[in-house]
Amino acid sequence: MAAGEGNGVVPVEMEGANSNNNNNISSVISGWFSEISPMWPGEAHSLKVEEILFQGKSEYQNVMVFQSATYGKVLVLDGVIQLTERDECAYQEMITHLPLCSISNPKKVLVIGGGDGGVLREVSRHSTVEQIDICEIDKMVVDVSKQFFPEVAIGYEDPRVKLHIGDGVAFLKAVPEGTYDAVIVDSSDPIGPAQELFEKPFFKSVSKALRPGGVVCTQAESIWLHMHIIEDIVANCRQIFKGSVNYAWTTVPTYPSGVIGFMLCSTDGAPVDFKHPVSQIDESARPLKFYNPEIHTAAFCLPTFAKKVIEAKSV
């Protein structure tokens, strides 16, 4: 279905696939996609739609791909933008390299979520890594990403990658203690199928799955919209992870407020200084677009209002 300029396209609503999901009412109207959600009340970000390339409904969520006028192809799950071709690098590179460049010689890495394959693509840059497991609950996200976002889903082509389709919470519970050097949780917002990935029992499972001095990096919402959620995440992580606990952030123009954060924690063991990378990335095959050592360190510099809240939870 084409969405031409000002042609009054039939509305395409992107509500939650299940009654227990969010109440997003994002839609495509008159050639524009508007991202409307109770997660960011009173505001909406819109992108001009050139063409809707895919619409489907999986067991878990609505899936849509459209060609935008300014950000390339866009992947939308339950009415919420997950990535665009133009700015996905700012998220994928940071959520991966902030943790992996903070430890020496990571060998075993687990990705929870991240079905588009972008985190896999970035993990594969690290030559010391021998095993990359990914647990994604929705096979449709994997298939759609391979079809429409090959430059992102290229991560699946790495022979070190093993894909597990299923519930990340259940997968982690079954992982032997101390298996991984790093766990990266590339989740959507804490509503619907991703809600459990923000709760204390999940963080306990992550801690158990990590070796001493192992690290986790999880998507941790926006300082402009979700400080109440961030407070809870910080408080939970302070109780569970006995190493270092830090909050970092990056800019992603097509995410609500243009900002997204990461919670970075380490287990008790060899100390981890997340703010100063200890390893570099080989860019000979594929140059980085966003991440560099300077922006790594800068990501942990917080504005005063966020710093006060997060440091208060650190006591």
Side-chain angles (χ1 to χ4, degrees), residues 111 113-118 120 134 136 138 141-143 145-146 153 156 186:
V111 180
D116 53 71
L120 299 178
I134 176 170
E136 163 63 48
D138 196 339
V141 174
V142 177
D143 294 339
S145 298
K146 288 180 177 180
Y156 285 106
D186 180 11

Side-chain angles (χ1 to χ4, degrees), residues 165-200:
I165 297 295
D167 177 21
V169 174
F171 182 89
L172 263 176
K173 286 180 180 177
V175 168
E177 187 172 350
T179 297
Y180 295 103
D181 298 290
V183 175
I184 300 171
V185 186
D186 180 11
S187 68
S188 49
D189 294 311
I191 42 180
Q195 185 169 349
E196 284 186 284
L197 304 184
F198 289 78
E199 296 171 351
K200 190 180 293 186

Side-chain angles (χ1 to χ4, degrees), residues 35 37-45 80 189-190 219-231 247 252 254-261 305-306:
E35 189 178 58
S37 171
M39 285 286 291
W40 38 92
E43 59 186 273
H45 183 232
V80 178
D189 294 311
Q219 188 272 105
E221 300 301 324
S222 167
I223 55 175
W224 290 110
L225 300 173
H226 305 124
M227 281 308 301
H228 59 295
I229 297 175
I230 295 169
E231 280 187 84
Y247 186 88
V252 184
T254 55
Y255 282 176
S257 82
V259 166
I260 195 74
F305 74 89

Side-chain angles (χ1 to χ4, degrees), residues 1-314:
M1 177 172 65
E5 193 170 327
N7 63 354
V9 171
V10 176
V12 180
E13 292 193 356
M14 291 293 296
E15 296 181 5
N18 303 305
S19 59
N20 293 330
N21 279 9
N22 57 46
N23 295 313
N24 295 341
I25 53 172
S26 301
S27 58
V28 177
I29 300 176
S30 298
W32 289 81
F33 169 81
S34 294
E35 189 178 58
I36 303 167
S37 171
M39 285 286 291
W40 38 92
E43 59 186 273
H45 183 232
S46 298
L47 289 176
K48 186 177 181 182
V49 178
E50 299 290 342
E51 182 182 5
I52 295 176
L53 303 173
F54 176 86
Q55 281 186 274
K57 189 172 184 178
S58 74
E59 181 182 352
Y60 301 99
Q61 56 203 340
N62 283 297
V63 181
M64 182 171 76
V65 178
F66 68 86
Q67 181 71 43
S68 72
T70 52
Y71 279 83
K73 290 193 288 290
V74 181
L75 174 64
V76 181
L77 301 180
D78 274 348
V80 178
I81 292 173
Q82 303 300 305
L83 68 84
T84 79
E85 289 181 305
R86 180 178 174 186
D87 66 8
E88 55 89 12
C89 59
Y91 177 80
Q92 315 277 22
E93 293 181 14
M94 293 294 276
I95 197 173
T96 304
H97 303 311
L98 287 177
L100 292 188
C101 288
S102 296
I103 55 175
S104 299
N105 304 315
K107 290 181 170 57
K108 294 183 178 180
V109 178
L110 171 64
V111 180
I112 300 290
D116 53 71
V119 171
L120 299 178
R121 179 192 67 198
E122 297 306 315
V123 174
S124 69
R125 294 181 186 271
H126 293 261
S127 59
T128 64
V129 173
E130 300 169 355
Q131 175 183 333
I132 309 170
D133 290 328
I134 176 170
C135 186
E136 163 63 48
I137 198 169
D138 196 339
K139 188 175 185 295
M140 183 180 285
V141 174
V142 177
D143 294 339
V144 166
S145 298
K146 288 180 177 180
Q147 180 179 355
F148 294 102
F149 300 90
E151 293 299 314
V152 179
I154 192 174
Y156 285 106
E157 298 178 12
D158 192 295
R160 295 170 291 179
V161 170
K162 184 174 182 181
L163 171 62
H164 308 264
I165 297 295
D167 177 21
V169 174
F171 182 89
L172 263 176
K173 286 180 180 177
V175 168
E177 187 172 350
T179 297
Y180 295 103
D181 298 290
V183 175
I184 300 171
V185 186
D186 180 11
S187 68
S188 49
D189 294 311
I191 42 180
Q195 185 169 349
E196 284 186 284
L197 304 184
F198 289 78
E199 296 171 351
K200 190 180 293 186
F202 176 75
F203 288 128
K204 287 182 178 178
S205 296
V206 171
S207 178
K208 172 178 166 287
L210 287 170
R211 65 160 173 81
V215 298
V216 58
C217 182
T218 182
Q219 188 272 105
E221 300 301 324
S222 167
I223 55 175
W224 290 110
L225 300 173
H226 305 124
M227 281 308 301
H228 59 295
I229 297 175
I230 295 169
E231 280 187 84
D232 291 341
I233 295 172
V234 173
N236 287 338
C237 288
R238 286 284 174 192
Q239 293 178 33
I240 294 163
F241 294 96
K242 301 308 179 184
S244 181
V245 176
N246 289 271
Y247 186 88
W249 58 306
T250 189
T251 60
V252 184
T254 55
Y255 282 176
S257 82
V259 166
I260 195 74
F262 309 105
M263 200 73 217
L264 292 112
C265 309
S266 64
T267 55
D268 192 19
V272 176
D273 179 3
F274 284 110
K275 298 179 182 180
H276 300 96
V278 297
S279 60
Q280 295 184 331
I281 301 164
D282 182 5
E283 299 185 54
S284 57
R286 190 173 62 251
L288 289 160
K289 295 181 179 179
F290 191 89
Y291 175 90
N292 57 51
E294 293 79 19
I295 210 165
H296 180 125
T297 299
F300 294 91
C301 295
L302 299 175
T304 301
F305 74 89
K307 186 177 181 180
K308 284 181 178 178
V309 172
I310 290 170
E311 287 185 350
K313 289 296 179 181
S314 301

